[in-house]
Structure formats: C-alpha cells, structure tokens
Amino acid sequence: MNTKETIEIFEKYVIANYGRLPTAIVRGEGNYLFDAEGNKILDMFPGWAVSGIGHCHPKVVKAIQDQAAELLHIDNTFYIPQQGKLAQLLSERAFGGKSFFCNSGAEANEAAMKLARRHTSKEKYKFITAEHSFHGRTFAAVTATGQPKYHDGFLPMLPGFKYVPFNDVAALESAFDDEVAAVMLEPIQGEGGVNVATEEYLGEVRRLCDQYGAVMILDEVQTGLGRTGKWFGYQHYDIEPDIITLAKALGGGVAIGAMMAKEDIAASLVPGTHASTFGGNPLACAAGVAVIEAIEEEGLLENAKEMGLYVREKFAALKEKFPIIDHVRGKGLMIGIQLTADGAGIVSKCLEKGLRINCTQQTVLRFMPSMTVTTDQIDQAMEILESVLTEENEK
Ligand SMILES: *Cc1c(COP(=O)(O)O)cnc(C)c1O
C-alpha cells in the first residue's frame, strides 16, 4: 500500500482527529524512517519522544520477540516477574519508591492525581498546575493541562483545578491553601514550548508542598528516561518530588506508563483503589527493562548530554546567520528553538528534504533526537535545516 492509498483509507475509515504529515511510514531503524515509497527520513523527533533510543533498537526488539514467545499477557491477579524487575530498575535510578504501571502518560497522571487525593486528608482536593502545561487527554489529565484550547468544547472540566504561571513563585504562593492536595508540573514543559523550570521555582514548590502537606507530582512523561542527560528531569535540581509519572520513552516504542511514588505515599494505593487491565503486562515490562539496560550498556545518558551540547553549538552558529532564530532552550536532547515567526512551514519543508522535526506553540521548533544520535546525523540535520532557512530567507 502506497502513501496515496493509505491516505484514501484514512479518509474513509479513520477519525480525523490528528493533523497528519502527508507521508505513510512503514519502517524505522535507529534514527531513520522509511516511507511507503522507500524514501529515507532522518528522524529528529522520533515518535514524539517515544522512540527515545531510536526506532526498533535491537535489544528492545529481541526482548519483545523473546517475551512474546513466552507470555504476552497475564492479569495482575498474579505476580509478574518482568513488572517487578522494571519497578526495581526504576526505583534504583530514582528516589527509591514504588511503581504502578499503566499504558500511557495520561493514565500515569490520572493515577498520580488519584493517589494524591487518597493519600492526603479529606479536605484536600485541589490541584495546582501550570499554564502552558500538558498532561494528557483523559478528563482529569486534560483538566490539569493549563491550555484553554484543549478544554474547548468539553466544558465543564473537573472541579478543583487552579492554574498558575510557570516559574512564578509569588503566583504559586498565593494559589496555595490548606485544600491543595497536590501540585503537578513538568520539570521542562514539552508541548508548552520547552520551558525549563528554574532551580528556585522547584525549590519553592517543594517548600510550599511540605508547608501545606500537599503532594509534589512531577510529570516526567517527556523528560523521563534519559532524554535530558539524566534519568529523570528532576535530577537536574536540588529537590526530590513525591511522585513522578513516566510513559513515552519507557517502553522503547511499546505502550507503557508508570507512576512512581515514595514508599509512604504509595502505601495509600491499597487493593481495590486503582487498577489497569493491561498495566504492567510482561511484554511492555520486558521492553522497559531492555530500554534501561540498553541506555546503561551503551552509555546513552552521557551521549544525550554531549549531543545536546553539540546541537546547541550548531544552533548558536545558525542563529548568527538567521535572525528568525531568537534563542535556544532546553536540557540535553530536549531542545526548543524559539523563532520570531511561525515555524509550521519550516517543518513541512524539512520533511520534503528528508528531515523530521516538530513545531509547537506555533513558534517553537522542537529538536528531540533519540539518545543514540551521532554527530554525523546532527550535522546532516543542520545542513537540511540550514538549506530550508536559506530558502525561507530568499522568499
Ligand atoms: C505526551 C505527554 C503526556 C500524555 O501522554 P499520553 O501517553 O499521550 O497519554 C502527558 N504529559 C506529558 C508531559 C507529555 O509530554
């Protein structure tokens, strides 16, 4: 089936709730994609950060193949060895604590919010989240998402949510009261434009949560599992959250979500309080274990850090030539390029030339290559981007 035939089938049978690029992808290998016509595309935004160690990483593929032949699914009525192993690997790399597994980022955040309410006293029910945040599309997660465009047409949202400007300590302080169950934030806002939390801000979030007896939740669905150069985004800061949520890169391409909580808080999720049929199944957890092992065996945290610096150097040079580049922000391989004009056209032009990047909030290009990216691949991407920017300049 070629791209044209695929698009025709979509038009007939698939709900059109996504704006799609006009290319059908049939294969992925490392940092490259191949479309139905056999064109090769350099992928600097692999699977929206899901393919964090590249497409079809051989260790992940092997783990999935082996596990598929052994046991695909078993319900949580039983103990599941791969689930236990993944929870252990996560705990040893985070703040200790215990994990609950589900299938997506939104579900992980739902679990975090339910746990925060259950763990805190009865009068605490409010959630404080940030403007420009993104927490997913289920009802509580989208309510938590501080962007009115995602609420449009779905009102009323769930009660009890307050939105504050990101990185604004005074606003957070005045939003706090004894009824707050939790604050939920991304350490680096992804979809909101790659906005990095300041050291001072997360320090104050921690202090205020302690003062009021509220739970500090960090949504690490995008920052988690190494992209920033550390396992978790919060590890760039001098604080520990009470709960983190993970998904995207955790399964190396297989659907999985996780909520990790400190042990005393985790204890509030007793049998009957929360569950997920597919959550923590052997296949997804075997993939997760393979992802963590691959990151360690191949030194990918270090590579994410180094390649992040390399990309920034390249952009510093590009900025001198192209005034449309205002500045670059982010950590490791979570990189946002603030433009002075709309970036959607640049994204489609890059794709025509065989490079995939992304644009969010209209004017922020996102460069989020996999942690296996090489300097050669970055050079190749910069060359394509530069040729597109040159063409735009000449218009
Ligand atoms: C992608 C994302 C989510 C939602 O994850 P889904 O798997 O699409 O539900 C939540 N939070 C952040 C920070 C994300 O980037």
Side-chain angles (χ1 to χ4, degrees):
M1 220 190 323
N2 63 26
T3 291
K4 187 167 167 286
E5 290 160 349
T6 304
I7 291 175
E8 280 165 11
I9 288 185
F10 265 65
E11 279 168 357
K12 275 199 190 133
Y13 300 112
V14 180
I15 293 179
N17 61 314
Y18 299 99
R20 294 179 194 266
L21 295 165
T23 307
I25 302 297
V26 295
R27 196 165 74 80
E29 188 184 330
N31 294 306
Y32 293 95
L33 292 171
F34 298 86
D35 69 13
E37 283 66 41
N39 297 305
K40 189 175 177 183
I41 299 162
L42 177 60
D43 196 353
M44 293 288 131
F45 197 69
W48 215 271
V50 165
S51 308
I53 59 170
H55 296 284
C56 298
H57 191 288
K59 286 174 182 149
V60 177
V61 171
K62 172 88 170 53
I64 293 169
Q65 284 171 338
D66 290 351
Q67 187 57 49
E70 206 63 42
L71 181 65
L72 279 171
H73 178 81
I74 183 67
D75 45 275
N76 282 297
T77 319
F78 296 98
Y79 288 97
I80 304 171
Q82 295 76 14
Q83 187 181 137
K85 173 85 181 169
L86 181 56
Q88 180 185 354
L89 293 179
L90 288 172
S91 183
E92 288 167 354
R93 280 151 192 79
F95 42 73
K98 292 182 169 179
S99 290
F100 161 81
F101 293 99
C102 49
N103 315 286
S104 68
E107 279 178 75
N109 289 334
E110 295 282 337
M113 289 184 276
K114 283 181 71 178
L115 174 54
R117 278 212 181 146
R118 206 174 160 87
H119 179 71
T120 53
S121 56
K122 254 213 180 91
E123 74 274 10
K124 292 191 190 299
Y125 70 97
K126 292 179 186 165
F127 295 106
I128 300 177
T129 66
E131 293 172 4
H132 302 294
S133 58
F134 185 82
H135 299 295
R137 304 297 197 126
T138 55
F139 247 111
V142 80
T143 303
T145 295
Q147 301 190 59
K149 68 175 180 187
Y150 291 125
H151 300 170
D152 205 24
F154 299 115
L155 301 177
M157 307 313 286
L158 297 190
F161 286 78
K162 278 196 191 177
Y163 312 100
V164 293
F166 194 54
N167 276 337
D168 182 336
V169 171
L172 180 69
E173 205 151 15
S174 64
F176 243 105
D177 59 38
D178 289 324
E179 294 174 339
V180 173
V183 177
M184 183 163 75
L185 299 165
E186 298 150 87
I188 305 174
Q189 292 187 332
E191 199 273 347
V194 192
N195 308 311
V196 184
T198 62
E199 180 73 52
E200 186 209 0
Y201 189 60
L202 287 196
E204 283 299 301
V205 173
R206 181 68 274 175
R207 188 184 65 77
L208 286 164
C209 283
D210 290 342
Q211 182 186 327
Y212 284 93
V215 175
M216 178 174 178
I217 304 170
L218 290 182
D219 176 345
E220 297 247 19
V221 169
Q222 198 164 136
T223 49
L225 260 294
R227 166 158 302 283
T228 66
K230 294 186 188 276
W231 283 110
F232 307 104
Y234 82 82
Q235 292 169 335
H236 291 278
Y237 300 84
D238 197 20
I239 51 112
E240 264 183 15
D242 299 310
I243 295 179
I244 60 174
T245 55
L246 302 170
K248 294 208 164 89
L250 179 56
V254 178
I256 185 169
M259 175 200 60
M260 297 182 66
K262 287 195 171 153
E263 199 159 347
D264 61 316
I265 297 174
S268 294
L269 224 49
V270 296
T273 52
H274 195 59
S276 164
T277 298
F278 287 112
N281 67 76
L283 187 79
C285 290
V289 168
V291 167
I292 291 176
E293 288 175 351
I295 290 173
E296 239 144 51
E297 286 163 16
E298 297 172 19
L300 297 182
L301 290 178
E302 194 52 38
N303 194 58
K305 195 170 133 196
E306 281 172 18
M307 292 303 107
L309 293 172
Y310 187 72
V311 172
R312 278 164 163 263
E313 263 172 45
K314 293 275 154 182
F315 271 107
L318 214 58
K319 178 176 145 59
E320 297 305 310
K321 287 197 204 167
F322 300 99
I324 189 174
I325 299 176
D326 187 77
H327 68 274
V328 178
R329 51 183 187 249
K331 276 192 200 296
L333 290 173
M334 189 159 172
I335 299 162
I337 299 108
Q338 179 66 59
L339 303 176
T340 56
D342 204 284
I346 295 173
V347 171
S348 2
K349 294 246 170 55
C350 283
L351 186 63
E352 283 166 23
K353 292 176 186 279
L355 169 66
R356 189 207 187 184
I357 52 173
N358 168 266
C359 178
T360 188
Q361 305 288 322
Q362 279 91 53
T363 57
V364 184
L365 291 184
R366 269 196 294 180
F367 227 74
M368 307 214 316
S370 92
M371 294 165 72
T372 61
V373 76
T374 64
T375 52
D376 280 354
Q377 290 164 345
I378 291 168
D379 289 347
Q380 220 176 64
M382 298 307 290
E383 223 168 88
I384 296 173
L385 183 60
E386 181 161 357
S387 80
V388 168
L389 291 174
T390 305
E391 281 173 27
E392 293 284 297
N393 256 5
E394 283 162 1
K395 274 209 294 212

